């Protein structure tokens, strides 16, 4: 396309109600014009996790005002937007339906094209918005609902090299925090407690690391943490700190080893391309994991890209950007497109590089 493209993005797949406007320049560069996110942590904190019905209701209540704020911050109205992108999955189906239905209504009312975005593609392409990363590259997606290593060949063109066979990493952090009586969301709470703990005190397992496949497993680690906590019950603050440090150390080792193996495979398959390793998802904000990944990337001669924390967690800008990338290739959707609670990234079909 020869002109700048402005896309409104809507994200409601879990417990953030978000909308944003991004600009995609003809040369492929991107710019965030506005980005409004309303977290629902306070609504779900008492339950120790996301309650789907409460999440959907909150999206219904707040989405219209969030979209209005995104347009206002961008100093635009709907007539100035070139396309409307909305998450169509994967996610909590009630929330996805709220955002996708709203996107359809706005597209119908304004006569603008609709782009139904895979939430995971939003994460996968964010590094192209923030760092102008070129295809192909390798992505580690670690969030509350997903843990995957994915080869990103182009827009809509993905190959999953590994994924979790049970809990996602963010889910494992949340369960560990709940087990130890810490707050929600669990990742930051475990990291905070681990800062004062001894990571060598409890010998926790590193599941699957003797196997060559690039998959993850965190359920057994969670069980081992529970047994370790029971072995020293009643736990003191020192025990909790040591348990968190030992858990975080195990997770960090698992992610580091899998990342090293993935980068070795990338180097073998693309010997003439300097590897770029993109880390996406909320767990990317963990400083211990980030430090380990920087070391792994440096040893592999890879360029490590971790987008800013606000763009690693769920947000409208990543959906708007994925929509802009797809729209630039002429990939738009009809109003019959359905919300999907499950939608593997590698089922999107081959796009253009």
């Amino acid at each position: 396309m020869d002109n700048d493209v402005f896309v409104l993005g809507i994200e409601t797949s879990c417990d953030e109600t978000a909308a944003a406007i991004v600009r995609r320049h003809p040369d492929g560069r991107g710019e965030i014009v506005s980005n409004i996110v309303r977290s629902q942590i306070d609504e779900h904190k008492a339950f120790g996790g996301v309650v789907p019905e409460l999440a959907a209701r909150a999206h219904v209540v707040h989405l219209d005002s969030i979209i209005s704020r995104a347009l206002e911050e961008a100093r635009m109205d709907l007539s100035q937007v070139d396309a409307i992108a909305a998450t169509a999955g994967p996610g909590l189906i009630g929330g996805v339906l709220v955002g996708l239905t709203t996107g359809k209504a706005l597209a119908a009312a304004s006569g603008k094209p609709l782009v139904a975005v895979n939430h995971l593609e939003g994460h996968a392409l964010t590094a192209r918005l923030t760092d102008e990363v070129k295809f192909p590259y390798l992505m580690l997606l670690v969030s509350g609902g997903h843990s995957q290593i994915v080869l990103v060949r182009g827009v809509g063109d993905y190959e999953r090299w590994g994924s979790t066979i049970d809990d996602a990493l963010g889910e494992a952090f949340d369960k560990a925090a709940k087990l130890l009586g810490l707050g929600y969301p669990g990742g930051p709470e475990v990291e905070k407690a681990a800062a004062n703990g001894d990571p060598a005190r409890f010998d926790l397992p590193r599941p699957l690391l003797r196997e060559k496949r690039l998959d993850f497993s965190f359920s057994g680690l969670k069980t081992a943490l529970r047994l370790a906590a029971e072995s020293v019950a009643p736990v003191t603050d020192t025990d909790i700190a040591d348990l968190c440090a030992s858990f975080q150390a195990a997770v960090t080792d698992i992610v580091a080893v899998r990342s090293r193996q993935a980068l070795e495979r990338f180097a073998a398959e693309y010997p003439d391309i300097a590897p770029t390793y993109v880390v996406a998802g909320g767990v990317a904000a963990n400083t211990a994991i980030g430090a380990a990944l920087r070391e792994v990337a440096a040893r592999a001669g890879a360029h490590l890209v971790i987008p800013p924390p606000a763009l690693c967690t769920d947000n409208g800008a990543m959906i708007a950007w994925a929509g802009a990338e797809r729209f630039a290739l002429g990939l738009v959707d009809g109003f019959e497109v359905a919300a999907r609670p499950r939608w593997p990234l590698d089922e999107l079909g081959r796009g253009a590089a």
Side-chain angles (χ1 to χ4, degrees), residues 244-271:
C244 286
S246 300
F247 176 83
Q248 183 172 265
V251 164
T252 299
D253 286 348
I254 293 167
V255 171
V257 169
R258 283 293 182 256
S259 296
R260 175 180 56 79
Q261 293 170 324
L263 286 167
E264 288 173 354
R265 177 175 169 182
F266 185 94
E269 295 193 12
Y270 295 93

Side-chain angles (χ1 to χ4, degrees), residues 256 259-260 263 275-277 279 289-306:
S259 296
R260 175 180 56 79
L263 286 167
T276 296
Y277 196 40
V279 186
I289 292 175
L293 291 176
R294 279 189 285 275
E295 183 177 345
V296 168
R299 290 183 177 180
H303 176 47
L304 181 69
V305 176
I306 303 177

Side-chain angles (χ1 to χ4, degrees), residues 130-205:
T130 59
D131 292 78
E132 300 180 26
V133 173
K134 305 300 181 185
F135 299 123
Y137 55 88
L138 203 57
M139 176 186 68
L140 171 67
L141 173 60
V142 277
S143 68
H146 305 277
S147 296
Q148 301 178 5
I149 296 175
V150 178
L151 174 64
V152 182
R153 296 194 192 97
V155 177
D157 188 4
Y158 308 94
E159 182 181 339
R160 186 169 30 167
W161 283 6
S163 61
T164 180
I165 63 173
D166 40 58
D167 293 345
L169 182 49
E171 181 182 5
F173 268 107
D174 285 342
K175 289 180 177 178
K178 190 171 185 178
L179 171 70
L180 297 174
L182 302 177
Y184 173 82
E189 296 296 325
V190 171
E191 182 178 9
K192 189 190 328 182
N196 299 312
D198 175 8
R201 179 179 170 191
F202 296 98
D203 184 18
L204 300 180

